[in-house]
Amino acid sequence: VGAELTCTMAEEDETGIRILQSLRGKICEAKNLVPCPGPNRMRDCFCTVSLDQEEVFRTKVFEKSLSPFYGEDFYFEIPRPFQYLSFYVYAKSVFQRDLPVGKVAIRKDDLCKFSGKEHWFSLQPVDPNSEVQGKVHLEMKLNELITDNGSVCQQLVVRIIECQGLPLVNGQSCDAYATVSLIGPARSDQKKTKVKKKTSNPQFEETFYFEVTRSSSYTKKSQFQVEEEDIEKLEIKVDLWNNGNLVQDVFLGETRVSVKILRNDSSHRAWYLLQPKDNGNKTSKTDDLGSLRLNVTYTEDNVLPSIYYISLRDLLLKSPDVKPISASAAHILGDICRERYEAVLPVVRLLLHHNRLVPFVSAIAALELEQTQEANTIFRGNSLATRCIDDTMKIVGKSYLTVTLKPVLDEICDSNKTCEIDPVRLKEGDNVEVNKENLHQYVQKVFNSIIQSSMSCPTLMCDVFNSLRQLATKRFPDDPHVQYSAVSSFVFLRFFAVAVLSPHSFHLRAHHPDADVSRTLTLISKTIQTLGSWGSLSKNKLSSFKESYMYDFFKSFQEEKCIEEVKKFLDEISSNESKESSGVEESVVHKEGEVHKRAQGRKRIGKKNFKKRWLRLSTRELSYHKAKGKDALCIIPIKNILAVEKLEESAFNRKNMFQVIQPERALYIQANNCVEARDWIDILTKVSQCNNKRLATYHPSAYLNGHWLCCKVSADNAPGCTPCTGGLPANIQLDVDGDRETERIYSLFSTYMNKLEKMQEACGSKSVYDGPEQEEYSSFVIDDPQETYKTLKLITSAVHRLEQEHAQYKRDKFKKTKYGSQEHPIGDKSFQCYIRQQSECSTYSI
């Protein structure tokens, strides 16, 4: 599971169905990149992820390599429609703009082909004429005119109405203009619109006229008509450009429309998707630019209104009460999925949301313990129980990890002291004794942070650990140590040690650490695992090290004090007694990053311009700073936030704007991209949802030049003109969309319907025939055939009902769909594919 850049956004149609898109993946490595010219052939490279032309993620720079290893995970919700997911490799440049080495561009429709598996992709050249994004709204018609000499001719009228979604150019909104050309075998007439400054959605509203003339046509016909052979050869070409002023204009995209579209209708109006120049056709063979190894999983959830999920959701929520637990819907889902991690996360989140997780985890842990023969192998495998507890800790323990480990990990990663103690790996000039001392200090700091953190451990994690402790003691009553090993196998081995090893995966660091720091973290993680593991005698721990140097190093920690500290910590986090709070809640940083902020106008004199600032959100306050680590320029207590909403682009001609509304004024902020903007809005909304004075309405645009741009009201304190978004108050740590999780579980059941049917057959076979199990049924866990069969019938019934609702939605959507509308512009290949699929489905159903 990768580092998460979480934000929530849904496109919702008039049926109330939410379309939620998300992307999870990993940028693994590049190899055989084109070397630099000159004697120093190595490059300093980084990789970016873009939705069309909008960058939404960037790795750190890997220095002096033609085969850089990144190892960086990403996860984010996709808050808008897109055509291509692209990965760019750039060579870092000190004195000029970073140089694109190559790219991998995957069409949205093709993402499913690569889902969940690593693939090597060849890098393609980055051609400025193919880097396009956006759509244009056109209207064309033929008018009949009588000329001064009385002859009849026709005039082609082309109206450029507007564009939407044009890309940022060098981080700024476009200064866009369009050229309109009528092209034929013997003509090429071109006209040009005015430049629209600083906007990604320019409103042109300009009309152009082209005379369509032919020799000897006027006398032959009293009514002029464009002849078919001429129509076939004429086309309108619209090019979008960014006005470069003193530098070269930048191509933004083109669309071509044949005039023959007017053959049967004298008027045509539609949206067109902008295409690469000459539709991106290139015949020349490109050089080998290298390749990029990626793992990408794209998910699209069509979430129905809540009422449709009641039967399946209730069936899943009853899982903890089903006897035996293997006959429950949640356990069956884990049983039939080929890779159980698919099923675990939505089940954990749904049960967590409805306070049903602890009894379910207890039940499946008890089932696993029944099958465990020796106490020293407790919870060793990758079972449904261990996966559920792992995911529970990751979801619930996010802030706990941040408070406990982030300060010490920041120190380790930033100071980067040499800690290598393997004689084989030592570099020239290294002193192994100094390295041992450095490593010992780091391990001691991490260890102390952990054992002193019991007061910060979330109550739900404590409840799970308490249940595990009691179950383990009941299963192995003669082993006094099993009550501790049951807890330490999770909290040390699967939680703290993993977070130390991969801090970027837990939001503790922004990027994957470099090779030296990564090696230090590996050594610390190994030692922490061993310090935290629970054996009957401390000398047993030494046998866990295969390497002699680790054996020698660990001897320095073999003190009774360490063992007692671990025992005390495990007692505290697995006790069923309520913890006494110190009364001071630890402030946790939820999110921070660079933004552009508009001056709030607190000073009478001074220009209200946009400035780069470091925005920081904690559990108590929102603050902005001149730079990271600097003192706060302004602090806004969370209780003073009345609403957090999008700001219309037209307010300041800037994309990705949002506003934090306070009693006296609004703070206007521009995020770096659409994902970041959505992320900030979501998390600010969540932390402020419980505020008593939250607004019911707001102004979607700014107050400028004496009035609100949205409603034109002149009073600056006028009530808002638009209802606020945002739902009911939610726990920031456990914010779960129950319907979305149930939809994902339905999708899994639907995908593995053949296994559900096989399982039903296995129940029947087991009930009738009590002999040796048939091989095809051996993978299923069936402790009670009758109870399992009953649950399976309820699952299939609920899944079939949801399948019918989804099929009806698709049919209704297909009927209402119009090609050339704003939602489905002409040239959208993904939509063309959808039309083809739906047509085939309609034909098949008929």
Side-chain angles (χ1 to χ4, degrees):
V1 178
E4 295 192 353
L5 313 169
T6 51
C7 57
T8 307
M9 169 70 186
E11 297 174 52
E12 187 168 333
D13 59 24
E14 63 269 19
T15 62
I17 291 179
R18 293 178 294 142
I19 302 163
L20 297 152
Q21 307 173 93
S22 63
L23 193 71
R24 182 185 300 280
K26 185 171 191 171
I27 301 171
C28 304
E29 61 179 317
K31 70 177 182 182
N32 302 329
L33 299 181
V34 178
C36 282
N40 182 12
R41 296 167 64 78
M42 296 294 108
R43 290 183 182 273
D44 297 342
C45 290
F46 63 93
C47 190
T48 66
V49 183
S50 292
L51 296 173
D52 298 321
Q53 293 302 297
E54 183 176 16
E55 182 186 315
V56 293
F57 181 75
R58 177 181 290 217
T59 69
K60 71 173 191 178
V61 178
F62 197 98
E63 296 180 346
K64 296 180 176 59
S65 177
L66 297 180
S67 295
F69 178 83
Y70 298 108
E72 297 214 22
D73 304 293
F74 58 86
Y75 171 77
F76 51 84
E77 303 284 339
I78 301 174
R80 63 170 179 80
F82 72 103
Q83 299 293 316
Y84 283 89
L85 175 70
S86 299
F87 299 83
Y88 293 83
V89 177
Y90 286 94
K92 190 75 180 167
S93 177
V94 178
F95 301 110
Q96 55 190 24
R97 194 173 297 161
D98 299 329
L99 177 70
V101 176
K103 70 173 183 178
V104 173
I106 309 172
R107 219 176 75 216
K108 179 182 172 181
D109 269 1
D110 293 333
L111 285 170
C112 58
K113 298 176 185 175
F114 310 107
S115 185
K117 294 179 182 176
E118 288 184 359
H119 292 268
W120 280 102
F121 295 88
S122 296
L123 290 174
Q124 302 300 316
V126 177
D127 173 17
N129 289 332
S130 67
E131 306 295 295
V132 302
Q133 175 188 309
K135 52 192 172 186
V136 60
H137 195 191
L138 304 176
E139 184 178 34
M140 293 168 50
K141 56 186 174 182
L142 282 170
N143 286 342
E144 191 175 85
L145 293 178
I146 299 175
T147 62
D148 294 340
N149 63 8
S151 62
V152 180
C153 72
Q154 289 241 336
Q155 190 180 55
L156 178 63
V157 183
V158 181
R159 179 172 161 230
I160 307 291
I161 303 168
E162 62 177 312
C163 286
Q164 282 196 352
L166 297 181
L168 298 178
V169 177
N170 299 329
Q172 301 292 321
S173 293
C174 301
D175 291 346
Y177 70 90
T179 59
V180 185
S181 307
L182 178 64
I183 299 172
R187 65 185 296 175
S188 180
D189 301 341
Q190 186 179 93
K191 302 177 189 292
K192 178 181 168 183
T193 68
K194 294 175 183 175
V195 175
K196 298 294 178 180
K197 295 271 189 182
K198 299 285 180 285
T199 176
S200 298
N201 303 317
Q203 305 287 317
F204 290 111
E205 284 294 350
E206 293 194 42
T207 304
F208 301 100
Y209 301 91
F210 299 91
E211 284 192 11
V212 183
T213 58
R214 284 190 305 278
S215 59
S216 72
S217 292
Y218 307 113
T219 56
K220 288 183 179 178
K221 297 180 182 178
S222 58
Q223 185 178 0
F224 184 93
Q225 291 181 345
V226 179
E227 292 179 3
E228 192 169 329
E229 59 268 22
D230 290 329
I231 285 183
E232 296 290 341
K233 296 171 184 175
L234 288 175
E235 69 174 2
I236 285 290
K237 181 165 79 85
V238 178
D239 292 288
L240 268 295
W241 298 86
N242 179 65
N243 183 35
N245 291 324
L246 300 177
V247 296
Q248 189 175 357
D249 292 357
V250 176
F251 176 74
L252 301 176
E254 72 171 27
T255 190
R256 293 169 179 260
V257 187
S258 174
V259 179
K260 70 181 178 183
I261 204 165
L262 298 170
R263 186 193 303 156
N264 299 320
D265 194 348
S266 61
S267 178
H268 170 74
R269 179 171 172 156
W271 283 88
Y272 283 83
L273 199 67
L274 292 174
Q275 304 292 341
K277 188 165 281 191
D278 300 321
N279 211 20
N281 295 325
K282 292 202 122 189
T283 53
S284 58
K285 189 177 182 299
T286 58
D287 296 331
D288 185 7
L289 303 175
S291 53
L292 190 63
R293 181 161 62 94
L294 303 169
N295 187 335
V296 180
T297 299
Y298 168 76
T299 306
E300 182 175 298
D301 299 315
N302 292 329
V303 184
L304 302 168
S306 191
I307 190 170
Y308 295 110
Y309 295 109
I310 290 173
S311 59
L312 182 58
R313 184 174 63 237
D314 287 352
L315 191 59
L316 290 157
L317 295 179
K318 287 174 185 171
S319 293
D321 305 323
V322 175
K323 301 287 191 297
I325 192 66
S326 60
S328 68
H331 192 283
I332 287 169
L333 181 63
D335 209 14
I336 64 167
C337 286
R338 286 172 304 189
E339 296 173 312
R340 287 183 170 178
Y341 76 87
E342 284 184 279
V344 169
L345 192 57
V347 167
V348 166
R349 290 174 68 84
L350 184 69
L351 294 175
L352 192 57
H353 187 56
H354 293 276
N355 296 316
R356 301 288 288 149
L357 183 62
V358 176
F360 178 70
V361 167
S362 300
I364 58 175
L367 179 64
E368 180 168 334
L369 283 169
E370 284 174 21
Q371 299 158 358
T372 305
Q373 301 307 314
E374 296 180 24
N376 64 350
T377 62
I378 193 169
F379 299 125
R380 284 283 179 87
N382 198 23
S383 64
L384 181 61
T386 56
R387 284 292 308 171
C388 277
I389 297 168
D390 281 356
D391 282 336
T392 300
M393 292 189 298
K394 284 175 184 172
I395 296 167
V396 180
K398 255 185 186 176
S399 296
Y400 178 36
L401 275 180
T402 303
V403 169
T404 307
L405 290 182
K406 187 167 180 17
V408 65
L409 288 177
D410 283 344
E411 181 189 339
I412 292 166
C413 294
D414 294 339
S415 61
N416 195 13
K417 291 179 182 176
T418 307
C419 296
E420 186 56 72
I421 58 173
D422 181 356
V424 178
R425 291 175 176 247
L426 287 172
K427 296 176 183 175
E428 191 177 342
D430 279 355
N431 185 321
V432 72
E433 293 305 318
V434 172
N435 291 1
K436 272 186 186 177
E437 181 57 31
N438 291 340
L439 183 59
H440 190 282
Q441 287 178 8
Y442 282 159
V443 170
Q444 198 65 57
K445 283 184 178 182
V446 173
F447 181 69
N448 288 342
S449 296
I450 292 170
I451 61 171
Q452 293 165 11
S453 71
S454 60
M455 293 305 299
S456 301
C457 186
T459 304
L460 193 136
M461 282 175 64
C462 293
D463 291 343
V464 170
F465 296 150
N466 177 250
S467 176
L468 294 177
R469 184 174 179 168
Q470 291 181 20
L471 290 167
T473 304
K474 184 179 177 182
R475 175 70 179 89
F476 299 102
D478 299 329
D479 190 324
H481 303 288
V482 74
Q483 60 175 319
Y484 295 112
S485 61
V487 179
S488 68
S489 64
F490 284 103
V491 75
F492 275 100
L493 273 65
R494 293 171 176 264
F495 188 57
F496 285 122
V498 179
V500 169
L501 188 65
S502 304
H504 60 291
S505 297
F506 291 82
H507 283 303
L508 301 174
R509 296 288 291 177
H511 297 289
H512 188 283
D514 63 34
D516 290 340
V517 174
S518 189
R519 174 64 180 162
T520 299
L521 294 176
T522 301
L523 294 171
I524 296 170
S525 180
K526 274 186 173 184
T527 314
I528 291 296
Q529 280 186 48
T530 312
L531 281 171
S533 65
W534 192 262
S536 56
L537 294 171
S538 59
K539 65 180 180 183
N540 289 347
K541 295 186 178 185
L542 292 169
S543 64
S544 67
F545 291 116
K546 296 173 185 174
E547 309 96 336
S548 59
Y549 62 87
M550 285 301 294
Y551 182 96
D552 293 335
F553 174 68
F554 191 75
K555 281 181 182 176
S556 61
F557 293 94
Q558 287 310 296
E559 306 166 1
E560 194 63 33
K561 182 185 171 189
C562 273
I563 297 169
E564 286 305 311
E565 284 173 336
V566 171
K567 184 183 175 200
K568 180 174 178 286
F569 171 69
L570 295 174
D571 279 333
E572 288 169 348
I573 64 170
S574 60
S575 169
N576 55 8
E577 297 174 11
S578 61
K579 295 181 288 187
E580 289 186 16
S581 172
S582 62
V584 181
E585 184 189 348
E586 194 86 40
S587 180
V588 177
V589 176
H590 288 310
K591 183 173 174 63
E592 57 183 334
E594 193 175 78
V595 298
H596 284 82
K597 178 203 72 74
R598 185 177 185 263
Q600 295 185 76
R602 289 194 299 271
K603 297 177 182 175
R604 287 181 174 273
I605 302 171
K607 199 175 176 184
K608 294 182 185 177
N609 54 3
F610 282 84
K611 292 182 179 178
K612 198 178 284 186
R613 292 288 181 255
W614 187 262
L615 194 64
R616 190 171 188 266
L617 174 67
S618 73
T619 43
R620 298 175 189 161
E621 62 199 24
L622 176 69
S623 58
Y624 58 81
H625 313 245
K626 199 160 191 177
K628 186 178 181 180
K630 298 288 186 183
D631 291 340
L633 298 173
C634 177
I635 295 174
I636 303 168
I638 295 297
K639 65 182 181 182
N640 287 359
I641 297 176
L642 306 183
V644 184
E645 299 288 348
K646 277 184 174 181
L647 188 73
E648 290 176 355
E649 183 188 327
S650 56
F652 300 106
N653 284 331
R654 286 174 178 252
K655 295 181 82 168
N656 306 317
M657 291 283 298
F658 63 95
Q659 52 183 318
V660 180
I661 303 171
Q662 308 160 69
E664 299 298 323
R665 60 179 66 82
L667 176 65
Y668 298 132
I669 299 168
Q670 182 185 28
N672 291 324
N673 57 61
C674 64
V675 169
E676 278 289 295
R678 191 69 250 173
D679 204 7
W680 276 113
I681 292 170
D682 275 356
I683 199 160
L684 282 163
T685 300
K686 286 167 192 170
V687 297
S688 62
Q689 272 179 328
C690 296
N691 291 350
N692 293 328
K693 296 181 180 178
R694 277 189 66 85
L695 297 177
T697 58
Y698 77 105
H699 291 284
S701 197
Y703 185 82
L704 293 173
N705 303 323
H707 67 271
W708 290 100
L709 299 180
C710 42
C711 56
K712 310 304 180 189
V713 175
S714 57
D716 62 352
N717 60 352
C721 56
T722 304
C724 284
T725 56
L728 297 171
N731 182 331
I732 181 75
Q733 292 176 311
L734 307 181
D735 182 61
V736 174
D737 184 338
D739 292 340
R740 186 180 193 180
E741 302 305 333
T742 313
E743 168 64 25
R744 285 180 170 174
I745 293 167
Y746 149 73
S747 296
L748 287 164
F749 274 135
S750 183
T751 301
Y752 295 112
M753 184 57 74
N754 62 329
K755 286 199 174 185
L756 286 174
E757 292 164 357
K758 283 276 186 206
M759 204 171 185
Q760 288 186 56
E761 292 173 16
C763 289
S765 173
K766 210 163 185 179
S767 297
V768 176
Y769 175 64
D770 201 25
E773 197 167 29
Q774 294 184 40
E775 189 177 337
E776 62 176 324
Y777 303 145
S778 61
S779 61
F780 301 127
V781 178
I782 303 173
D783 298 318
D784 184 330
Q786 284 82 13
E787 193 66 32
T788 305
Y789 186 82
K790 190 166 75 176
T791 306
L792 286 165
K793 291 295 285 182
L794 291 169
I795 291 170
T796 51
S797 173
V799 169
H800 285 318
R801 282 198 296 274
L802 281 167
E803 279 178 345
Q804 289 169 1
E805 291 299 334
H806 276 285
Q808 185 60 48
Y809 162 68
K810 286 179 180 175
R811 285 193 293 271
D812 292 345
K813 182 181 176 184
F814 182 59
K815 287 176 187 173
K816 295 173 184 174
T817 296
K818 183 184 175 187
Y819 194 38
S821 64
Q822 189 172 346
E823 296 76 21
H824 306 294
I826 295 170
D828 182 350
K829 292 179 182 175
S830 300
F831 181 71
Q832 290 170 342
C833 182
Y834 163 76
I835 289 286
R836 191 164 56 251
Q837 289 171 352
Q838 294 305 310
S839 299
E840 289 167 1
C841 290
S842 301
T843 306
Y844 178 75
S845 62
I846 292 167

